Amino acid sequence: MQHRLNTLRRQAGITIVECTVTTAVLAVLTSQVVPGLSATAEKQRLEGVAAQLRTDVQYTRSQAIALNRTLRISFDATAGAGCYVVHSGEANQCSCNADGTAAVCTGGAQPLRSVRLEPAQRVSLSTNVRSMLFDPTKGTATPAATLKVQAKSGAAIHQVVNIMGRVRTCSPGGTAGHPAC
């Protein structure tokens, strides 16, 4: 009986071989999971920025109608990864300031909202227009535009704004879960 208790006591610990095997298995599993997590995080950032941009375009149109005043959304790609300002006034009267913390407006123009995409977000914004005008009586947007949100990996989501101010979301090649552009 005493011999059996001593045997049980000696077998109660974990051997170094068991620890090494467990660590190796965990390392292999982690190396498989981490790239998937970073790709998922990038996709979420891309989706989030694209959704916010779409919402802000719709916001600008609805505010122009609600306030019965002409509003603009102006884009600035020189401020790092890009920024945009929703404002009253002319196209060249509002821009993002150097550090991107706020909008800078001149000549009586008033900013309603400004958004800066930080380089750390690893998502950039590019457009084919400098500014879009939203007419309060017609509810239209001039000119029509394509707003491109792109991740560092090259994945992109386009927000295509038609003359009626409506936004259609698509992705080049139909990637990112959106219809093809």
Side-chain angles (χ1 to χ4, degrees), residues 20 85 112 117 121 136-137 141 143 158 164:
T20 304
V85 181
L112 277 75
L117 301 176
Q121 286 180 287
T137 55
H158 294 191
M164 294 304 297

Side-chain angles (χ1 to χ4, degrees), residues 40-135:
T40 300
E42 180 182 81
K43 183 180 178 189
Q44 291 297 323
R45 277 193 299 272
L46 181 65
E47 291 282 342
V49 171
Q52 180 181 8
L53 178 59
R54 178 186 180 101
T55 301
D56 286 339
V57 169
Q58 292 169 337
Y59 166 80
T60 306
R61 181 176 181 258
S62 66
Q63 283 299 104
I65 294 167
L67 299 173
N68 195 30
R69 61 189 262 217
T70 302
L71 293 179
R72 291 186 176 273
I73 183 166
S74 295
F75 304 96
D76 186 0
T78 61
C83 71
Y84 57 90
V85 181
V86 175
H87 64 92
S88 64
E90 297 300 316
N92 59 354
Q93 289 183 313
C94 289
S95 63
C96 300
N97 66 359
D99 65 2
T101 56
V104 177
C105 294
T106 60
Q110 297 176 333
L112 277 75
R113 176 166 171 67
S114 66
V115 174
R116 176 176 165 81
L117 301 176
E118 297 294 333
Q121 286 180 287
R122 299 163 60 181
V123 176
S124 62
L125 172 65
S126 60
T127 66
N128 64 342
V129 297
R130 165 74 175 95
S131 181
M132 294 177 65
L133 174 80
F134 290 85
D135 183 280

